[in-house]
Amino acid sequence: MPNIPKMLNILYNKVSIDPQYFAWYFKRYMEFENKKLDELLDQLSTDEIGYYHIALCKAPNGSGKDFTNSLNTVSDFTKINIFPLLQIVRSVDNMVAFKENPDAVSSTLMAAREKDSTDTPSKKNNEF
Amino acid sequence: MKVNCDEKIIENLLLKKDPTILAQLYIAYADELLCFFLNKYQTFQNDPTDLISIITDSLLKLTQSPNKFNPQLSALKTYIYNDINGDIINALGKRITQKNSVHYNVVELDSINWNIDLGDINANLDQKDLEFKMKAYFAKVFPEILDQELAWMIVIDKTRETEKFGTILNIEQKDLKEKEEIVKRTKDRINVKLKRNGFKEFLKNLRRNA
């Protein structure tokens, strides 16, 4: 593992408390998924310096075209595949939403499950 | 990593609020900034943590409010250097005040008393414009950046504490008496040069045009 320059580490710690940055997402993701840094590096297919550089980038916000453009820009700059980044952002957003309002999320999930179970037979019927 | 070394590209990314800008600024300038300011302010050499914190804060501040940087007034690198330099001077000033060990070791201002009241100019001129004109004037009179900073401290900030000048002049290790003498000589030199280059006239013009 390379030595991380002190300045990079300090900057990383500063932005890791700001949900605008990937650093914040990475820290939350490791915490929620109980993953170590090595595992995250594997998932992102990058080294430690690369990880710190992505961490300084702003994470995409909201949805739609801007979200995709922003994610593409980061992916293009860091040479990291867009999918693991997307997966991390989505998982953390969902987990944070669940933590903040577990009732709303669980009722949405239940409704989705109910819908799924009622949809499935008809879909099957249509297929026949 | 696709790193942009071209300052113009980084400037554009900054103004466009590109999501990668902080990483790009770090990669492009961090090492250079740290080396430069460690050399300039030797007080940070034992423990550069405060200096690093000032540099990182400045980069973050810039990415959060990119519009504070005006590409028409200066290059991005110059802006960053000046911003950090200002923050360092403030931080060192606070350190001195906190320590309170050198209680107002003021070197009395020289025989030339500028008696400058920038109040009326300040009131009528845009702050950035005023700053720009002053900096341009100092740059014209003093080829050395250090002298430009000293002139700024004397005329604009009205700095009087020997310790502050000592830090800029990198003579912190010298004893107080010697420091006072060097600071006094330096101030005299700056003031005389300003006088010979018509600083009073420049201020009058500034007032007239304000």
Side-chain angles (χ1 to χ4, degrees), chain A residues 6 8 14 57-58 76-77, chain B residues 2 19 26 49 53 56-57:
Chain A
K6 197 174 178 182
L8 186 54
K14 280 183 180 170
C57 295
K58 281 196 176 171
D76 189 35
F77 167 65
Chain B
K2 206 169 81 184
Y26 172 82
T49 313
S53 193
T56 51
D57 280 348

Side-chain angles (χ1 to χ4, degrees), chain A residues 12 14 16 21-23 25 31 37 42 45 49-50 55-56 64 68 74 90 101 103 107 109 113:
Chain A
Y12 170 79
K14 280 183 180 170
S16 68
Y21 290 90
F22 268 106
Y25 277 89
E31 187 186 309
L37 181 60
D42 278 348
S45 312
I49 292 276
L56 301 186
T68 321
V74 175
R90 287 294 187 222
N101 199 351
D103 294 340
S107 59
L109 281 174
R113 270 189 212 121

Side-chain angles (χ1 to χ4, degrees), chain B residues 107-169:
Chain B
V107 170
E108 273 312 309
L109 264 182
D110 26 75
S111 51
I112 305 161
N113 181 6
W114 293 114
N115 194 21
I116 295 159
D117 177 17
L118 291 171
D120 52 339
I121 303 175
N122 268 325
N124 296 319
L125 211 62
D126 172 55
Q127 189 62 39
K128 265 191 172 174
D129 196 25
L130 174 68
E131 208 176 300
F132 177 69
K133 283 181 176 160
M134 285 288 185
K135 279 184 181 163
Y137 178 82
F138 289 148
K140 203 176 89 185
V141 175
F142 302 102
E144 297 287 324
I145 291 177
L146 179 66
D147 286 350
Q148 292 169 28
E149 281 168 17
L150 289 165
W152 187 271
M153 284 171 78
I154 296 168
V155 178
I156 311 294
D157 293 340
K158 299 188 191 306
T159 305
R160 290 168 64 85
E161 295 88 343
T162 306
E163 283 304 312
K164 284 188 185 173
F165 285 102
T167 312
I168 298 284
L169 292 167

Side-chain angles (χ1 to χ4, degrees), chain B residues 8-84:
Chain B
K8 278 282 159 210
I9 297 177
I10 296 183
E11 273 183 26
N12 287 335
L13 292 174
L14 173 73
L15 297 171
K16 258 175 44 193
K17 299 187 177 176
D18 187 276
T20 66
I21 188 60
L22 183 60
Q24 305 239 21
L25 284 171
Y26 172 82
I27 295 167
Y29 300 125
D31 288 345
E32 200 183 321
L33 287 167
L34 188 59
C35 283
F36 177 82
F37 286 109
L38 272 178
N39 271 333
K40 188 170 178 187
Y41 299 101
Q42 293 183 358
T43 182
F44 293 113
Q45 275 182 355
N46 286 340
D47 179 13
T49 313
D50 285 350
L51 174 62
I52 290 174
S53 193
I54 290 171
I55 295 174
T56 51
D57 280 348
S58 170
L59 295 180
L60 264 173
K61 205 167 56 183
L62 178 62
T63 58
Q64 277 153 8
S65 318
N67 294 334
K68 280 190 179 167
F69 161 67
N70 182 348
Q72 256 128 39
L73 292 182
S74 68
L76 178 61
K77 212 166 162 180
T78 315
Y79 176 87
I80 296 173
Y81 274 74
N82 286 340
D83 187 52
I84 294 173

